[in-house]
Amino acid sequence: MSGNISASDVEATLKDFWASRPRRPHDGRKIAGVAAGIARRYQIDPVIVRVAFVAMALCNGAGVLVYLLGWLWLAQSDDEVSAAEALLGRGRSSTPTALTVLLGLAVIPATGFFVDGGFTMVGGVLLSIGAIYVLHRGRGQLNRPETTPAFGMGDEVSTEEQATARVTPPAWDPLGAAPFAWDLPEPGATAEPVGAEPRPVRRRSRVGAVAFGLALVVLAGSLVSAERWDWFTAPHVIGLLVAVLGAGMLFGALRGGGGRGLIWLVVPLSFVGVAMTSLDLEGVDSDQVGASHAKPTSVEQVQDRYSASIGEVVLDLTGLPNQGKVTTEVEVGLGNAEVTVPADADVTVTCRTDLGAVQCLGQESEGESRHEEVTDHGADGPGGLEIVLDVRSEIGQVVVSRG
């Protein structure tokens, strides 16, 4: 690849991308086959493409916008044209018209115009154009479709029409009587041995190590910057890390497969990032991460609330005296909340989780939006220490038991 890139080079590369753009396969797809089609067209791991979409989704939802555009403008493998082109009357597509219209309407909020003034639209489009240019410039010659859609049109040009026909008869047909068989090998010609060529020994790629090192630098810089700028919150830092590691995986794929091991970091980071940006964590201390254990021995030592953003809170109330009343809340964003109460205390407890499991003084349930309310006076009946609890975990387990 030349080091000097001109505007005409970029235009020619993007036009060629459009002319030979990927097609969405029916097999191997997770949603609409956009990632699977891109991976198949450029012969890279589809997991890398899906991670790239997740990483862009963390950037103000840009990945959602790009995926919707791919769904609209990339044809399925057995269709004449894409769904959007079919809506314009340029050919046949198996995508229902109603779904095409809904996808087009979904693009409007996905641009982020009504949320952040169009930052998602501008940033996502520029990022995707750059990625398309690099990917197609480096691997556009691979797995080109047999029929290539013309630029901006629904018509297709077959490879037979694109190929240059042989006009000189071979030696075995000097009269030109059988032009349909001129592509056959000469009689007596030695056939090339069938079999795969030995694979060259590849040098171990350093892409993964370099990307991991850059991620550590980004993490360190973000932690330092968080003391001065409010933007460097946990979800934003995770987004930066996923972007750096995802870029390393993409670069490694273009260089021959290096950096695949980064997937074991990108996937869990992406999951945590999506969870933190999708869930309502209001009321939970954003600066508290890790495990918190408390065992008060008097009513006065019981705090109004125990909380953690990511981790667990373990509260042991079995050391309290047998008289008095305490009221407290336990809140965890991502993790477990566990409370142990005395065997004879009068307990009124509310246990909640948006996604996870609840074990609330004998009441058990699991799944989405679990909510249990229990009043239990213990083995000795009403009287004695009174405890009022509100125990909550956004994603995780809530356990309230007797000691």
Side-chain angles (χ1 to χ4, degrees):
M1 185 183 301
S2 174
N4 298 323
I5 301 175
S6 64
S8 59
D9 290 336
V10 175
E11 182 181 2
T13 300
L14 294 180
K15 282 186 176 181
D16 188 62
F17 161 77
W18 183 261
S20 61
R21 63 192 186 274
R23 285 180 169 264
R24 298 185 287 114
H26 290 282
D27 57 319
R29 62 168 58 184
K30 298 299 182 182
I31 302 177
V34 176
I38 294 173
R40 187 169 299 182
R41 168 66 176 87
Y42 297 106
Q43 296 184 1
I44 57 179
D45 193 332
V47 175
I48 296 177
V49 183
R50 295 186 178 110
V51 169
F53 274 112
V54 172
M56 286 196 298
L58 295 177
C59 300
N60 287 42
V64 178
L65 170 62
V66 176
Y67 196 93
L68 288 174
L69 293 176
W71 196 339
L72 283 168
W73 291 99
L74 298 183
Q76 291 193 124
S77 56
D78 53 355
D79 287 350
E80 293 179 357
V81 296
S82 65
E85 289 171 310
L87 193 64
L88 299 175
R90 294 180 175 176
R92 179 191 61 81
S93 173
S94 59
T95 304
T97 302
L99 177 58
T100 303
V101 173
L102 289 176
L103 292 172
L105 293 175
V107 168
I108 298 175
T111 61
F113 183 81
F114 299 104
V115 179
D116 57 8
F119 170 80
T120 299
M121 176 178 62
V122 176
V125 169
L126 291 178
L127 181 62
S128 61
I129 289 176
I132 288 171
Y133 175 82
V134 173
L135 188 61
H136 193 77
R137 190 71 182 270
R139 303 178 73 87
Q141 76 281 4
L142 301 177
N143 199 27
R144 295 184 70 89
E146 295 182 0
T147 55
T148 303
F151 176 70
M153 299 294 292
D155 299 332
E156 295 184 348
V157 181
S158 66
T159 52
E160 294 179 358
E161 295 174 352
Q162 296 177 26
T164 302
R166 181 172 182 176
V167 297
T168 304
W172 58 266
D173 186 19
L175 299 179
F180 59 87
W182 285 357
D183 290 334
L184 295 176
E186 297 283 348
T190 304
E192 295 183 0
V194 179
E197 296 181 358
R199 300 178 62 181
V201 179
R202 294 181 178 177
R203 297 176 59 185
R204 186 172 182 179
S205 174
R206 298 181 180 179
V207 173
V210 172
F212 181 73
L214 289 176
L216 292 180
V217 173
V218 170
L219 177 60
S222 300
L223 294 178
V224 174
S225 301
E227 299 179 359
R228 299 184 57 185
W229 292 287
D230 295 336
W231 185 88
F232 289 91
T233 60
H236 287 166
V237 173
I238 290 176
L240 290 175
L241 294 177
V242 171
V244 171
L245 296 174
M249 293 178 61
L250 178 60
F251 183 75
L254 296 176
R255 294 293 300 273
R260 290 184 54 130
L262 297 175
I263 189 69
W264 300 108
L265 291 174
V266 172
V267 169
L269 282 175
S270 300
F271 174 78
V272 173
V274 171
M276 294 183 70
T277 54
S278 302
L279 297 175
D280 178 16
L281 300 179
E282 292 184 2
V284 179
D285 293 341
S286 60
D287 59 347
Q288 186 174 355
V289 177
S292 174
H293 297 259
K295 187 175 182 179
T297 56
S298 66
V299 173
E300 293 75 19
Q301 291 180 356
V302 178
Q303 301 178 15
D304 293 335
R305 189 175 73 181
Y306 299 86
S307 63
S309 292
I310 302 176
E312 67 174 359
V313 173
V314 179
L315 177 60
D316 187 350
L317 300 178
T318 58
L320 296 178
N322 197 31
Q323 297 294 328
K325 179 179 180 178
V326 296
T327 300
T328 187
E329 299 177 359
V330 177
E331 296 179 288
V332 178
L334 180 63
N336 299 332
E338 300 181 12
V339 181
T340 305
V341 298
D344 297 330
D346 297 343
V347 180
T348 300
V349 57
T350 299
C351 301
R352 294 176 290 170
T353 181
D354 291 342
L355 180 62
V358 168
Q359 300 176 17
C360 196
L361 293 180
Q363 300 291 330
E364 299 185 6
S365 61
E366 61 180 84
E368 298 183 17
S369 301
R370 300 293 91 187
H371 187 137
E372 301 288 347
E373 295 184 2
V374 178
T375 298
D376 190 312
H377 297 292
D380 63 345
L385 177 65
E386 183 179 353
I387 300 177
V388 179
L389 295 172
D390 186 354
V391 187
R392 173 186 177 187
S393 175
E394 296 282 354
I395 297 180
Q397 188 177 40
V398 173
V399 178
V400 178
S401 59
R402 291 193 179 271

